[in-house]
Amino acid sequence: MSEKIIYDADLTYIERSLSSLEQGFNYVSDQVDSVNNDLLDTRTTLEDLIQEFKDFVKKDQLEKNIQLAETRIVKVRQELETEYGHYADVRRKVTGILQAVDVSLVKKETIENATEEQMLSAPRYWLAPCLIALSAWLNDQKELADKAMKEALRRDDEKTSLFFALVTRRGTRYKASREWLERYFGLQDPHHLEREVVVLIDGFSNGIFGPDARIKCGKQIEAWIEELSQKVGFIEEQHEQWKVALESKIQRLDDQSFPYLKKYSPTWGQLEESLEGACLNRTIHDHFNGIFTKEILPAKNIAYAVDALLDSLVSRFDEEEIPLRKDERLLSLVIQEEGDRQRAQQLFDNEKTLEERVSFTQLLTNFAMHPEVSNASLATQKFSIALSKDWIKNAHNDITLKNRAALPIDVDLEIDLWKGTSQDGSNEEELVQSLSTHMTQRKEKAINNVKLGVEHWVGLGVGILFTLMGFSVPFLFVFALLGFGYFFFGKKNVQKKKDQVAVEFEQLLAHCKQVLLASLAELVDWRTRYSEEDGQAIRVTELLDSISPEQYAFSSHDAARSVVN
């Protein structure tokens, strides 16, 4: 009776339920796969967003630094104008008086009154009594001239001496000019020179001074270098000093250069530093070559030439303004370095162009490398480089050798957990095989990890148990079928997942191969460019060997010859 009931039972409902259950399992499986894919995509997107956010924050900070620097530099210049703007009136009177006397268009009384007003408006300024002395000298008032001159010397002996050396040279008073220069030289310590000595070197290299003074200048420069060279560690000091100066010309690589190496090579930091160091050769050569290929345009006559030196002396070297000038220079470097304050501060510290007193050789370095801040003329730049060429060569050779020694031989690559090494991209096949093997091993491991869960084996056990019990209670066969269905559907889904894992790893392998080949191509390009830039080093040496100090001194307004050893 019971058997008939079993055989004649209507199982249509159970079959429909199993079919619905299978569809439900498939749907859930698809949803789980979709969620896993979405999670992977979300993680990748999140990582990209994090990097973009970091880049945004960095860019925003740099832009804010630039805006702040631009705002502050305006305020600093306004403060310079407010605090020392009245000095400009005094300065303008210097060349104004001299040029007025040249053409005899201004009464001596007018000059006298104008200079007296300046004395009252600039009570601490060294140039004010110089103007009184100059006016008295032009009016043959010896007593007043002497009194004003003593006051000027009391306020600033060095600048006053150099000022009158130039003024008397302008008036072709060679003896007086030589005496003032001797006084100026007597105040100098080659270890701690004032910045305005550039005016002296400008006059010397442009042939401003007369024959006797020119010879005196030449011998004094030789004596300064000789005295400095007796100092223990002088050679090492020059070596380091010029290394710092040359390295200040290092230019950063473009952010778009070698994007794959930058992203996938842990060695990129060394690669970037080495290439920037190699590119320095071209930068240095172009800097020096640009200086020596420019033509020096001499002033119309000695008066114009001396006026230019006087303008430089009286307008750019006042110690009271140095703190503000330093702020102005640092802010301008922040703007130049596109908001990178750390880099700007490093460049500012290395320049030493606004220090109150530095050694003569440091001044030569400033003249050669930072003329826009040290206020050196083109002639002085040429002369300074020629005079320092041996120190420059040694420093440049040391930088080149150091950069070559730090050149990375092996370049590491890391692409999605795979690691490899190449020197020049020639082992492409080996690396591609290594990457393929790595991905195959990961794929097999991932496939092996796709297994039936405990719940599936529980389903199988439930199916077996309810089958045995179903002979006594036939209704339990329904639960047995559900247990078996859950197990077999799970087994079918495992195979589907394994197939999907295999497809995903094939896609990943293809992508990683593309990245690897692009990285190796960039490595080849990097090696080629490094060799080209490193080869520029010899051009720097050849350029420096071709110059000498004798070629770049006293040629504009002084026809006599002299030799500086």
Side-chain angles (χ1 to χ4, degrees):
M1 183 67 178
S2 60
E3 291 180 1
K4 182 179 178 181
I5 292 173
I6 293 174
Y7 289 130
D8 294 341
D10 187 1
L11 300 178
T12 304
Y13 175 75
I14 295 176
E15 290 175 353
R16 284 201 304 267
S17 299
L18 289 175
S19 178
S20 300
L21 183 63
E22 180 182 9
Q23 293 176 1
F25 283 146
N26 289 335
Y27 176 76
V28 171
S29 175
D30 291 340
Q31 291 298 317
V32 170
D33 292 339
S34 177
V35 169
N36 287 335
N37 292 332
D38 289 344
L39 285 174
L40 290 174
D41 292 340
T42 301
R43 191 173 81 173
T44 302
T45 303
L46 183 60
E47 290 175 351
D48 292 340
L49 287 174
I50 291 173
Q51 185 60 48
E52 288 178 7
F53 179 73
K54 289 180 179 178
D55 293 340
F56 171 77
V57 171
K58 181 179 179 181
K59 182 180 179 182
D60 182 64
Q61 186 60 55
L62 293 176
E63 289 177 350
K64 287 181 178 178
N65 289 343
I66 293 175
Q67 292 174 358
L68 186 61
E70 289 174 340
T71 301
R72 287 183 175 175
I73 202 171
V74 171
K75 291 183 177 179
V76 168
R77 287 169 179 170
Q78 288 175 343
E79 189 174 350
L80 278 168
E81 179 63 27
T82 301
E83 293 292 328
Y84 306 105
H86 57 287
Y87 286 6
D89 294 333
V90 184
R91 294 163 180 167
R92 283 192 293 268
K93 291 292 190 299
V94 175
T95 51
I97 290 174
L98 293 173
Q99 291 173 9
V101 172
D102 288 342
V103 293
S104 302
L105 292 177
V106 180
K107 295 179 181 179
K108 294 182 178 180
E109 293 79 7
T110 304
I111 294 175
E112 184 177 355
N113 293 334
T115 54
E116 289 175 354
E117 290 177 4
Q118 300 304 323
M119 185 69 182
L120 296 175
S121 63
R124 298 188 309 273
Y125 193 26
W126 67 272
L127 189 58
C130 286
L131 284 180
I132 297 292
L134 180 60
S135 174
W137 177 43
L138 294 173
N139 289 319
D140 295 324
Q141 297 174 329
K142 187 176 185 303
E143 185 177 350
L144 178 59
D146 290 342
K147 187 175 181 180
M149 197 174 298
K150 289 178 182 179
E151 176 60 19
L153 292 171
R154 185 188 67 80
R155 294 186 181 186
D156 196 317
D157 199 338
E158 294 182 33
K159 289 187 179 66
T160 299
S161 298
L162 186 53
F163 174 81
F164 281 110
L166 291 170
V167 170
T168 50
R169 172 63 184 100
R170 191 181 191 280
T172 64
R173 305 290 183 90
Y174 293 112
K175 182 176 182 297
S177 179
R178 184 177 67 251
E179 290 175 352
W180 278 112
L181 274 179
E182 289 176 353
R183 178 183 180 85
Y184 178 77
F185 285 134
L187 298 169
Q188 303 308 308
D189 176 0
H191 298 277
H192 302 91
L193 289 173
E194 289 278 6
R195 296 176 305 121
E196 80 270 355
V197 78
V198 65
V199 176
L200 173 75
I201 306 301
D202 265 353
F204 173 69
S205 57
N206 283 289
I208 300 299
F209 300 113
D212 293 341
R214 181 210 64 206
I215 294 172
K216 175 68 176 177
C217 286
K219 290 182 178 180
Q220 188 65 54
I221 289 172
E222 292 178 17
W224 283 344
I225 294 178
E226 179 64 25
E227 181 178 342
L228 289 170
S229 64
Q230 300 303 315
K231 178 182 175 182
V232 176
F234 173 78
I235 299 299
E236 293 77 8
E237 182 180 332
Q238 299 313 302
H239 196 148
E240 187 61 29
Q241 184 173 291
W242 273 102
K243 276 181 61 179
V244 170
L246 295 177
E247 288 175 342
S248 71
K249 295 293 183 181
I250 289 178
Q251 298 178 356
R252 296 178 179 177
L253 290 181
D254 188 287
D255 289 339
Q256 303 304 316
S257 299
F258 309 103
Y260 284 94
L261 287 177
K262 185 175 183 179
K263 185 175 182 180
Y264 296 103
S265 174
T267 320
W268 171 247
Q270 295 173 261
L271 293 173
E272 183 178 35
E273 186 175 347
S274 294
L275 185 54
E276 288 176 346
C279 291
L280 180 62
N281 294 317
R282 189 186 300 273
T283 302
I284 293 173
H285 176 271
D286 291 347
H287 175 73
F288 289 152
N289 191 57
I291 292 171
F292 286 104
T293 53
K294 286 181 183 177
E295 182 182 358
I296 298 176
L297 300 176
K300 297 179 181 178
N301 52 48
I302 188 66
Y304 280 97
V306 173
D307 287 349
L309 293 181
L310 284 171
D311 182 62
S312 177
L313 173 64
V314 302
S315 62
R316 298 175 180 174
F317 301 102
D318 288 313
E319 282 70 19
E320 296 175 69
E321 301 177 23
I322 285 181
L324 289 175
R325 294 294 181 190
K326 286 183 176 181
D327 290 343
E328 181 186 29
R329 178 57 180 166
L330 179 57
L331 292 170
S332 67
L333 287 173
V334 171
I335 297 172
Q336 172 188 308
E337 295 302 313
E338 299 181 342
D340 189 338
R341 292 188 59 84
Q342 184 176 357
R343 172 67 175 166
Q345 185 67 54
Q346 181 182 2
L347 289 174
F348 179 78
D349 293 340
N350 290 340
E351 281 185 357
K352 297 182 179 179
T353 50
L354 291 172
E355 297 297 326
E356 294 186 22
R357 289 181 178 271
V358 292
S359 70
F360 178 63
T361 53
Q362 179 64 60
L363 281 171
L364 292 178
T365 305
N366 294 344
F367 300 159
M369 305 303 290
H370 309 289
E372 70 284 355
V373 185
S374 59
N375 302 305
S377 68
L378 179 60
T380 296
Q381 276 188 278
K382 293 184 177 184
F383 179 65
S384 299
I385 295 169
L387 204 59
S388 309
K389 70 171 190 175
D390 290 334
W391 304 327
I392 300 174
K393 281 173 54 179
N394 291 336
H396 174 254
N397 289 337
D398 187 62
I399 292 174
T400 302
L401 292 175
K402 182 180 177 181
N403 189 60
R404 289 172 179 171
L407 177 67
I409 303 301
D410 295 325
V411 176
D412 297 327
L413 296 171
E414 290 185 6
I415 305 172
D416 202 289
L417 303 180
W418 173 82
K419 296 181 180 180
T421 301
S422 181
Q423 294 184 357
D424 53 12
S426 59
N427 58 337
E428 177 183 310
E429 293 184 5
E430 176 188 339
L431 293 178
V432 170
Q433 182 60 43
S434 172
L435 176 62
S436 300
T437 302
H438 169 81
M439 288 300 176
T440 300
Q441 292 173 349
R442 283 179 59 188
K443 179 180 70 174
E444 292 175 353
K445 184 177 180 180
I447 290 175
N448 291 334
N449 286 335
V450 179
K451 300 176 181 178
L452 287 172
V454 175
E455 67 276 10
H456 297 100
W457 293 108
V458 170
L460 178 61
V462 168
I464 294 172
L465 177 63
F466 281 115
T467 298
L468 295 175
M469 295 175 62
F471 290 105
S472 300
V473 184
F475 182 74
L476 293 178
F477 281 118
V478 175
F479 296 102
L481 288 173
L482 290 174
F484 285 129
Y486 184 75
F487 173 77
F488 285 110
F489 290 145
K491 190 172 183 180
K492 181 180 179 181
N493 193 48
V494 165
Q495 186 58 48
K496 184 179 179 181
K497 284 186 176 180
K498 287 184 176 182
D499 293 341
Q500 183 177 354
V501 167
V503 171
E504 289 176 352
F505 268 96
E506 289 300 322
Q507 293 174 347
L508 179 62
L509 175 60
H511 170 70
C512 290
K513 280 184 178 179
Q514 291 178 352
V515 171
L516 174 59
L517 295 177
S519 299
L520 294 176
E522 284 190 355
L523 179 57
V524 173
D525 293 340
W526 186 93
R527 292 288 184 190
T528 301
R529 183 174 175 188
Y530 178 87
S531 297
E532 292 175 352
E533 298 296 342
D534 185 64
Q536 297 293 316
I538 188 64
R539 296 181 65 202
V540 177
T541 302
E542 291 173 349
L543 176 62
L544 293 172
D545 284 339
S546 68
I547 61 178
S548 64
E550 296 87 348
Q551 295 172 274
Y552 301 103
F554 16 94
S555 57
S556 298
H557 302 282
D558 192 352
R561 287 287 296 172
S562 179
V563 175
V564 178
N565 295 323

